[in-house]
Amino acid sequence: MSATPHCWGRAATRSARLNESRLPKPELPDLLRITRETGGVGVQIVHSGTVCAVVLDAARPRAAQRAREARAALDAMGLPRTIDHVWSGA
């Protein structure tokens, strides 16, 4: 049985928070805020600190709109975007 997006999101967020003691990321509070505001299920941060993502559940209502809102908020923070993927309808 595979993990639900919510379980995966919680695990990724916990990992990101635990890694703060090793490599603090000043953007983390804003990423967590964006995640909450857009109905995300978690934050993913590569432990090098060079890549981050807001994790959304594609099965939730208005998922594509939530993804656009998260993308716009991340852009407003000035984080460089290397790639993003928003499913059909976004």
Side-chain angles (χ1 to χ4, degrees), residues 16-29 45 47-49:
R17 287 182 176 185
L18 288 171
N19 195 53
E20 280 293 284
S21 65
R22 301 182 93 162
L23 182 60
K25 286 152 293 304
E27 300 87 358
L28 184 59
I45 305 231
H47 290 294
S48 66

Side-chain angles (χ1 to χ4, degrees):
M1 178 179 211
S2 64
T4 67
H6 294 274
C7 290
W8 188 87
R10 279 193 308 269
T13 300
R14 179 161 169 72
S15 177
R17 287 182 176 185
L18 288 171
N19 195 53
E20 280 293 284
S21 65
R22 301 182 93 162
L23 182 60
K25 286 152 293 304
E27 300 87 358
L28 184 59
D30 287 327
L31 294 170
L32 293 168
R33 178 186 51 77
I34 291 167
T35 299
R36 283 189 309 274
E37 290 175 355
T38 59
V41 296
V43 170
Q44 177 190 17
I45 305 231
V46 175
H47 290 294
S48 66
T50 59
V51 178
C52 68
V54 172
V55 181
L56 299 159
D57 182 349
R60 288 193 62 198
R62 298 181 44 247
Q65 177 62 32
R66 293 172 191 274
R68 285 191 297 275
E69 291 168 2
R71 182 173 52 195
L74 293 171
D75 285 348
M77 286 178 63
L79 296 176
R81 187 185 315 169
T82 55
I83 187 169
D84 63 49
H85 175 76
V86 180
W87 52 95
S88 174

